[in-house]
Structures are given as C-alpha cells and as structure tokens.
C-alpha cells in the first residue's frame, strides 16, 4: 500500500505536489478489487473542515489529500462558467462502442484476397503515447458487446433459425458487400428491402462493424439515418448512441450535441453522454469534455470508471496536474480502476522519466491481481528503453514472448519494433522468421518499421514485396510504412517511386500518404515542396490531414525563424480543427524566439484559446516579451 503511495508521487515536472498522487492512490489500492481503459465552474469552491473533498462539479479544492502548487487548475478548463468528457471509439452491433477492430474478424483478412485500403486493425503501438492510439487500445471499456449478441439472438429468433443455421450464418456479409458496391447507400438499402432480403439487427450489426473497422463512418452514418427515417428497426438507447457517435465523427461535436436534443428523453441516458464525452476526448477538446462530464454529474448519472479514464486519457496529454484530482474523484465515487487506468498511470510515469514510480504502479496493479497485457508490457518496455535500462526492457520482452513465438503469435507485431529500438537485428530477424510463413498485415508493417529503424532498407523492401505477392491490393498503411522508412533515410527518389506505385495500384491517397510525403520532402530539405503538397491535399480532398503533417512543416519554419510561414501553418492548423494543443503554440513561439522578434499579445492569444503556459512556454514568452525590462533598458529609459 505504501509502495503505491510512493509510486503515485505526483509528476513534479508537471507541477504536482508530492502529496497529490500519494494520498488518493494509496487509498485507491486498498479498496480496489481489479483494474480496467469552454466552460469552467460557476463559482470557486473552498474546502473547510468537515466539507466534502470534492463538490458536485469538478472544482479544484486544496485538501489534505490533494494539494497542487499555486497556479494549478481544477478539472475545469476555465473558472467562471458552467461546465462538464470521454474518449473511446464506438464499435457497433447496431451499437459499436467497444470492440477493437481486428483483421482476423474480417473475412478476407489473410486469404490473399483484396483488402480495403481503409482497413484499420487496431492501435499503432509505435505511437502508443498518442491520444488516438491509447483510445483505440481501450475500446473494450464501452462494453456494448452484450447488446450486439442480444440483437443477433433476437434476429435469429425472428427468422426461426436453428442453432446449426445460426452457425452457418454467423457473419452475414451480403448486406455489407451490397453497401460497398453501391454508389449510394440509401438506394442500396431500398433495393435490398425491395428484393425481399432480410434486414434485421444481425445484418445491420455486421455491416456497421465492418464499415467502422474501415473507418468508413460516412457510409455507416447514412445507414443509421436511413434506418431511423424508415423505422426499419426500433431504436433503443444504444442505437441512438451509435448514431450520435457517427455524427460526431463525420459532422463534428456541435452537430452531435444538437442531435441529443432530438433523442427521446427516455433514451437520453448515461450511454448517450459518455458517447459524446468519448468523442470530445478524441477531438482533444478539453473544454467541451469537461463540460459534458459536469453535465453528466448534473443529471445524476453514475460516475463510471470509463468516464474517469477518459479524463485521465485527456489530461495525460494536456494537463498532468489534474490527474490526481481524477483519481481522488474515482476513490470518492468508488469507481474502481481498470487495467486501462493502470496503463495510463504507468505511461504517465514513464513519460516523466519516473521509472521507480512506474514500477511501483505496476507492483500495485499486480497486487490487485491484474496482470499486464501486451499493451502494458509494450509501454513498460518502451520506457525502459528510453531510460537506457535495456536489461529490464529485455526481461519484459521475454515475458511477452512466452515459451514459444509460434504459440504466442499475437506478441510478434509488438516485439518487432521493441527489438529494433534495442538495436537487436538478430532478434528482429528471429521474430520475423516466426511470422514469415503466414504473415499478417500488421506484422508486415511492424517488420518494415523495425528494419527501417535498424537501417536495413533491403530487408524492409523484401517484406513489402512479400506483401505485394500475398495480397492483391494493399491498404494505404502498408505503403506508408515503407514511405516513412524512405523519409527517415532521406531516400527521396525511392519515396517518389513508391508514391507513384501507390497511385498506379489504385490505392486511395489520403492523410497517411500525405503525412509520409510531407515527411519525405521535409527530411530531404525541401520544406516548401512539403508545404505545397499539404496545401494541395487540403484543396483537393474533404479529408483532414494529420496533426503531425502540419507540425513537421511548422517545426522547420520555426527553426529558420520564419515567423510569417509559421503563423500561416498555425492558422491552417486551427482551420483544420486542431486547436487547444500547447505544442503548436510552443512551436510558433520558437519561431519568434529564433527570429529575435517580439510576439505582441501572445499571452492574450493563448488565454483566448484556453491554453495555459507550462514552464517551457513561460520561458519562451519571457524571451519574446516586447515590454520586458533589462538592466540596459532600465538605464536607457
């Protein structure tokens, strides 16, 4: 118990006092049985003796349990308004809030047949610290799979199917294929019904799941709208939640909020709001996430571990000082931490280079009889490697491998990048050899990235060619893996040839490809060409480029002290919907610092966007303050 208290020492680099994590987490562990994944407040709250630790809203109130340094903020982004957040993607059945996408669940996955280029199989472990990846890694938390099973059982009962018939028809893909092959979703559904085909929950569920796995949210939304309009099925709360999720993904949070008002009040429950909360976190909208969370409290919905995990996920990225407050709230509401909760805390500790604290959190997790999964082991290994503790990292890798790679095949895609990070080419070769006879797409991507990290371009190319021979059509992700390898090694000519090959193969050119091309030209020193590619992509497509694509270019302008172009990229980031992230402000400030130019009104700009400077940004602001006083300026004045 005391070990966890020490492990939960707050992140001093983020400004937490030593007592913050200790008090709330220590108590946490005693009570936990198992572990799981712009608006402020109306008035300040002050704790007095005998008062509750946390008021109903998410105030920050100093107490003997939680004490943050002056200047730290509560769970609300801004004091002085009304308020109330969550982040997992929804996985349907006709409600899809939790099952991670898996290549194995798709009929054509490993048969050598054509694969849709939008297929996504799960979190990219090479970027496990990103909000999006951790979000995908925790999709099981929404726990709507029971509704899917119930819906399918109901559909089979309606059709009078026997057990044997159910097994044969367990995954009815005919509707999904019809939707995929039709130019218009509505006409395809009209034709499907007109031909007398069955359109029950089982068919809808499978179709929606496969569309979501390919991130084809637009088509999934059209299906949901058609079903609601035609009253083909009787909507329940989870169906409305699924529809809400799709609106948020396709049309944004504002439209999603408006849709809530159209949902019958009897179905406007906790699932609806946690779905909106999840999308606020996906959109990295801290202010709106807190507003939704507080709204859930106002409506007297139970404070679930899922909702708290979403706040942890958000604050892990944007404001680590608030993590202690969320943990205290979980203790107060008896929301038991989950495996995902611990994974977030372990990753947070690792990011702050607190390896001792990270290990103590792990010990506490095990004491609660929760064993680390592959994702958690990956996070541990990555932080050991970053800290130079290679022996400890290798020990975790051996645990991941188990007795046999053949028997523990699922670990291979995670082992490849880790062994590459350790510089162990022989182990990368050994793991890839276990996969090579019947490789999976994700293993191929991991192998390409691993060989690229080791500088073995020919080996990476050989894996790519094997994929081309195994599958008739490759997803975009598999091309961009090799494209990034070429970018890392400044192989501009090879990268351009690969991009042309992608186009010739009929591969859809989207954000992943744009990101690879941008990096390719930036690494080759042609920032203007990279900027031009990104600008053309935005003009020619309705898809949104990745945040990293903008930042790679903006970083280069900042290094040059090119304030004009850095400001231009900053503006384009906001137009693309990437607001509320301190990194873009930090990069823009660096452009002013390098240009030795004062940044007039920059603090006000940040305040208007509800961004508060951390220690590094505060130092930058001091450097570009047009009115700062120095010894010389005082004399001259």
């Amino acid at each position: 118990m005391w070990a966890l208290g020490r492990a939960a020492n707050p992140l001093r680099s983020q400004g937490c006092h030593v007592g913050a994590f200790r008090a709330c987490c220590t108590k946490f562990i005693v009570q936990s049985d198992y572990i799981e994944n712009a608006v402020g407040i109306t008035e300040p709250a002050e704790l007095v003796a005998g008062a509750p630790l946390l008021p109903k809203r998410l105030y920050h109130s100093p107490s003997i349990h939680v004490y943050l340094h002056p200047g730290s903020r509560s769970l609300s982004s801004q004091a002085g308004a009304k308020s109330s957040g969550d982040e997992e993607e929804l996985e349907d059945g006709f409600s899809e809030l939790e099952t991670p996408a898996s290549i194995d669940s798709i009929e054509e996955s490993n048969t050598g047949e054509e694969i849709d280029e939008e297929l996504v199989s799960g979190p990219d472990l090479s970027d496990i610290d990103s909000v999006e990846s951790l979000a995908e890694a925790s999709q099981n938390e929404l726990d709507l799979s029971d509704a899917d099973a119930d819906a399918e059982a109901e559909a089979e009962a309606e059709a009078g199917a026997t057990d044997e018939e159910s097994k044969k028809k367990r995954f009815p893909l005919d509707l999904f294929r019809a939707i995929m092959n039709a130019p218009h979703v509505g006409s395809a559904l009209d034709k499907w019904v007109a031909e007398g085909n069955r359109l029950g929950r089982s068919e809808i569920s499978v179709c929606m799941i496969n569309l979501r796995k390919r991130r084809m949210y637009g088509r999934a939304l059209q299906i949901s709208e058609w079903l609601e309009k035609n009253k083909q099925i009787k909507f329940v709360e989870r169906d409305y939640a699924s529809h809400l999720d799709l609106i948020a993904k396709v049309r944004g949070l504002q439209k999603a909020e408006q849709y809530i008002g159209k949902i019958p009040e009897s179905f406007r429950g906790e699932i609806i709001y946690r779905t909106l909360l999840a999308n606020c976190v996906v959109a990295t909208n801290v202010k709106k996430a807190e507003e939704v969370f507080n709204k859930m409290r106002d409506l007297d919905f139970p404070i679930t571990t899922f909702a708290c995990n979403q706040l942890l996920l958000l604050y892990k990225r944007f404001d680590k000082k608030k993590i202690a407050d969320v943990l205290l709230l979980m203790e107060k509401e008896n929301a038991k931490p989950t495996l995902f909760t611990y994974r977030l805390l372990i990753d947070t500790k690792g990011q702050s280079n607190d390896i001792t604290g990270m290990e103590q959190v792990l010990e506490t997790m095990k004491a609660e009889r929760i064993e680390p999964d592959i994702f958690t082991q990956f996070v541990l290994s990555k932080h050991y490697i970053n800290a130079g503790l290679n022996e400890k990292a290798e020990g975790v890798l051996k645990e991941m491998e188990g007795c046999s790679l053949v028997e523990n095949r699922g670990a291979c895609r995670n082992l490849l990048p880790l062994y590459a990070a350790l510089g162990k080419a022989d182990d990368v070769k050994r793991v890839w050899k276990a996969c090579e006879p019947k490789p999976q797409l994700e293993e191929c991507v991991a192998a390409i990235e691993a060989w690229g990290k080791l500088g073995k371009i020919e080996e990476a190319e050989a894996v790519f060619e094997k994929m081309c021979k195994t599958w008739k059509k490759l997803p975009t992700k598999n091309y961009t893996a090799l494209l990034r390898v070429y970018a890392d090694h400044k192989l501009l000519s090879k990268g351009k040839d690969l991009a042309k090959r992608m186009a010739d193969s009929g591969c859809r050119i989207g954000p992943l490809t744009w990101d690879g091309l941008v990096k390719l030209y930036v690494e080759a020193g042609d920032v203007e060409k990279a900027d031009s590619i990104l600008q053309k992509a935005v003009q020619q497509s309705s898809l949104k480029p990745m945040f990293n694509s903008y930042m790679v270019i903006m970083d280069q302008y900042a290094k040059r002290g090119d304030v004009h172009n850095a400001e231009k990229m900053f503006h384009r980031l906001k137009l693309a919907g990437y607001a509320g992230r301190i990194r873009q402000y930090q990069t823009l400030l660096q452009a002013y610092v390098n240009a030795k130019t004062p940044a007039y009104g920059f603090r006000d700009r940040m305040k208007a966007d509800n961004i508060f400077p951390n220690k590094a940004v505060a130092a930058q602001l001091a450097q570009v303050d047009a009115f700062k006083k120095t010894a010389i300026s005082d004399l001259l004045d």
Side-chain angles (χ1 to χ4, degrees), residues 440-573:
Q440 296 179 358
L441 280 170
E442 290 301 314
E443 293 169 345
C444 293
V445 171
I448 289 171
E449 293 172 347
W451 288 125
K453 190 174 290 186
L454 292 167
K456 296 185 177 294
I457 309 302
E458 290 184 4
E459 284 83 348
E461 291 172 331
V463 176
F464 180 80
E465 294 303 332
K466 182 174 182 62
M467 283 195 298
C468 292
K469 292 175 182 176
T470 305
W471 290 278
K472 292 179 182 177
K473 183 180 177 183
L474 292 177
T476 300
K477 185 176 182 179
N478 297 68
Y479 280 93
T480 54
L482 185 58
L483 189 60
R484 287 195 296 267
V485 170
Y486 288 149
D488 289 338
H489 295 278
K490 299 179 172 58
L491 299 172
L492 180 60
S493 178
K494 285 193 171 190
K496 289 165 69 175
D497 289 342
L498 180 62
K500 291 175 184 175
R501 187 171 171 183
M502 286 179 69
D504 293 341
S505 71
C507 194
R508 184 177 300 176
I509 307 300
L512 274 173
T513 310
W514 303 337
D515 188 62
L517 289 171
V518 163
K519 187 175 181 182
L520 182 71
Y521 278 95
V522 165
E523 292 295 332
D526 194 346
V527 182
E528 286 72 19
K529 179 64 175 178
D531 192 340
S532 173
I533 287 172
L534 191 58
Q535 193 167 0
K536 288 178 182 177
V538 173
Q539 292 169 352
Q540 295 172 7
S541 174
S542 60
L543 298 174
K544 184 169 75 172
M546 296 168 65
F547 177 74
N548 185 66
S549 301
Y550 291 102
M551 290 307 303
V552 166
I553 298 171
M554 192 175 173
D555 285 338
Q556 296 302 311
Y557 286 141
K559 287 178 183 177
R560 295 178 180 180
D562 186 343
V563 172
H564 172 76
N565 280 312
E567 284 279 11
K568 180 183 71 176
M569 294 306 299
F570 182 86
H571 178 65
R572 285 164 61 183
L573 270 164

Side-chain angles (χ1 to χ4, degrees), residues 237-249:
E237 186 175 6
R238 290 170 187 264
D239 300 328
Y240 285 114
S242 173
H243 193 126
L244 173 70
D245 174 65
L246 291 168
I247 291 173
K249 284 176 167 54

Side-chain angles (χ1 to χ4, degrees), residues 1 58 77 164 201 329 383:
M1 179 169 66
L58 293 179
S77 294
E164 191 173 338
R201 283 188 176 270
L329 177 64
H383 290 309

Side-chain angles (χ1 to χ4, degrees), residues 17 60 74 190 210 263 275 354 384 439 460 503 520 533 556 615:
H17 189 276
H60 167 62
S74 73
D190 288 336
N210 278 281
I263 297 173
T275 300
D354 183 1
Y384 279 140
L520 182 71
I533 287 172
Q556 296 302 311
K615 187 176 181 181

